[in-house]
């Protein structure tokens, strides 16, 4: 069982020491993303999920400032790729996800980034990239772990490792 799982997921971890570094890491990842991809961002309030999304947005040439979609379930931004930014933190958002169905929210022409997405990842039927952010030892340290779920992500493992290699990464599993 464990072996089967190991074939299907892989974890990579990185560390950043400032919000700028997290934004930079996110911008580097632009290369690995394509339309239709789903990225699940997990981590506590203040972990850096929105900061990560902002860094990615700048790299995609999105001029509109990215903020947490607090009063809407999803925001859409035009860039090199269209960014579909969801935040399912609020209870109403969970309900909307249930009512609308995730397939209505995930846009195959866009890159979909879901903050607090771990709470709905069990209903994601296709593969996705989970990026988990957590606090490190120093105030501005963040541990950023990547979980590649599904073959379409495992196929991009080497590319992902190369992109984050400057952030003191280690490989597991
Ligand atoms: P979330 O969306 O996960 O709730 P935010 O991105 O809104 O978190 O906020 C992260 C906060 O942590 C910001 O105030 C940011 O300046 C701060 N911060 C400090 N160090 C880092 C880091 N290494 N990476 C990301 N954010 C950091
Ligand atoms: Mg946020």
């Amino acid at each position: 069982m464990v072996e089967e799982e190991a074939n299907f997921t892989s974890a990579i971890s990185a560390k950043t020491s400032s919000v700028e570094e997290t934004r930079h890491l996110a911008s580097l990842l632009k290369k690995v993303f394509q339309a239709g991809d789903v990225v699940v961002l997990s981590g506590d309030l203040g972990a850096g999920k929105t900061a990560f999304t902002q860094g990615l947005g700048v790299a995609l040439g999105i001029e509109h400032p990215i903020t947490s979609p607090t009063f809407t379930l999803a925001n859409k931004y035009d860039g090199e790729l269209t960014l579909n930014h969801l935040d399912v933190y609020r209870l109403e958002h969970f309900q909307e996800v249930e009512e609308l169905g995730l397939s209505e929210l995930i846009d195959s022409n866009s890159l979909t980034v879901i903050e607090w997405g771990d709470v709905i990842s069990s209903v994601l039927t296709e593969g996705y990239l989970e990026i988990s952010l957590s606090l490190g030892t120093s105030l501005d340290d963040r541990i950023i772990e990547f979980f590649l779920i599904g073959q379409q992500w495992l196929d991009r493992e080497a590319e992902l490792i190369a992109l984050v290699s400057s952030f003191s990464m280690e490989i597991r599993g």
Side-chain angles (χ1 to χ4, degrees), residues 6-171:
N7 286 335
F8 206 63
T9 66
S10 166
I12 300 165
S13 62
K15 194 187 91 175
T16 64
S17 301
S18 65
V19 64
E20 290 79 17
E21 264 188 38
T22 296
R23 291 205 172 103
H24 179 55
L25 173 63
S27 73
L28 295 176
L29 291 175
K30 182 195 93 165
K31 281 194 185 143
V32 85
F33 293 136
Q34 53 200 47
D37 282 344
V38 176
V39 177
V40 163
L41 294 177
S42 60
D44 292 339
L45 206 63
K49 300 180 296 297
T50 299
F52 181 96
T53 312
Q54 288 165 340
L56 180 61
V58 168
L60 288 169
I62 292 167
E63 281 169 21
H64 198 279
I66 293 179
T67 53
S68 270
T70 311
F71 298 107
T72 53
L73 174 57
N75 287 332
K76 213 172 259 274
Y77 303 93
D78 283 325
E80 264 175 64
L81 279 176
T82 302
L83 180 65
N84 187 25
H85 182 206
L86 278 65
D87 188 326
V88 292
Y89 178 53
R90 300 196 330 155
L91 182 62
E92 296 92 294
H93 290 179
F94 286 115
Q95 287 163 353
E96 278 179 75
V97 168
E98 268 183 78
E99 282 161 22
L100 285 166
L102 214 52
S103 54
E104 297 298 315
L105 295 166
I106 294 171
D107 177 347
S108 58
N109 298 312
S110 309
L111 168 63
T112 298
V113 172
I114 314 175
E115 290 193 39
W116 300 95
D118 51 326
V119 296
I120 57 164
S121 61
S122 60
V123 295
L124 290 171
T125 49
E126 305 295 319
Y128 58 92
L129 178 68
E130 176 168 350
I131 304 177
S132 155
L133 298 102
S134 55
L135 304 190
T137 42
S138 300
L139 188 63
D140 289 343
D141 282 355
R142 297 292 186 273
I143 308 302
I144 304 179
E145 287 184 288
F146 298 85
F147 299 93
L148 291 72
I149 316 293
Q151 196 57 50
Q152 78 265 51
W153 278 105
L154 290 174
D155 289 345
R156 285 179 260 180
E157 182 180 28
E159 196 184 347
L160 200 65
I161 288 172
L163 289 173
V164 303
S165 62
S166 57
F167 294 87
S168 63
M169 163 214 71
E170 65 191 46
I171 306 162

